[in-house]
Amino acid sequence: SIIPERAHHCSVCKRCVRKMDHHCPWVNNCVGQQNQKFFILFTFYIFAISVHAMYMAVQKIVTCSDSEWRSCGSLSPPVSLMLLTILLFISLLFGLFTGIMFGTQIYAILDD
């Protein structure tokens, strides 16, 4: 049989995928020629949401520290600061990971 160019068999999906990049556990599917656009949009949107969450958390910390945490909700200042720090850390991790994934996908498209 004739195999299309850059087609690979995925051991997880049990099917051949044209121009297969990788099998993504996030979307439980292979990223290939037919769905690479959707994967790029997915990584870009997660990256954008992560950057927005970082911005909102930093803005809340600055605003609340200026008012000495008097009007910043019903939680105590240490608990609020701890939760905002956790949000910053998680959004930084997701932002870095998805930003790198987005960049490598764009590079692969431009290189191919």
Side-chain angles (χ1 to χ4, degrees):
S1 71
I2 299 173
I3 299 173
E5 180 184 341
R6 290 185 53 205
H8 296 284
H9 184 79
C10 179
S11 60
V12 179
C13 295
K14 306 288 189 229
R15 64 187 180 102
C16 287
V17 180
R18 184 163 185 191
K19 293 190 176 182
M20 179 178 167
D21 187 58
H22 68 284
H23 181 86
C24 181
W26 285 11
V27 295
N28 194 26
N29 202 357
C30 289
V31 176
Q33 182 180 15
Q34 298 295 323
N35 62 354
Q36 190 171 30
K37 171 189 170 186
F38 303 111
F39 183 72
I40 289 172
L41 288 173
F42 174 72
T43 56
F44 175 74
Y45 292 149
I46 299 296
F47 174 72
I49 289 170
S50 298
V51 169
H52 182 69
M54 283 188 281
Y55 171 75
M56 298 274 294
V58 168
Q59 182 183 23
K60 183 75 169 176
I61 290 172
V62 169
T63 302
C64 290
S65 63
D66 286 345
S67 68
E68 297 179 4
W69 300 88
R70 285 187 294 258
S71 62
C72 288
S74 61
L75 297 175
S76 66
V79 172
S80 296
L81 189 59
M82 181 186 69
L83 291 174
L84 287 169
T85 305
I86 290 170
L87 175 63
L88 273 172
F89 179 71
I90 291 172
S91 60
L92 179 67
L93 286 179
F94 271 89
L96 281 174
F97 182 72
T98 56
I100 290 170
M101 286 292 290
F102 176 73
T104 57
Q105 290 295 310
I106 296 297
Y107 176 75
I109 288 173
L110 295 175
D111 190 42
D112 191 17

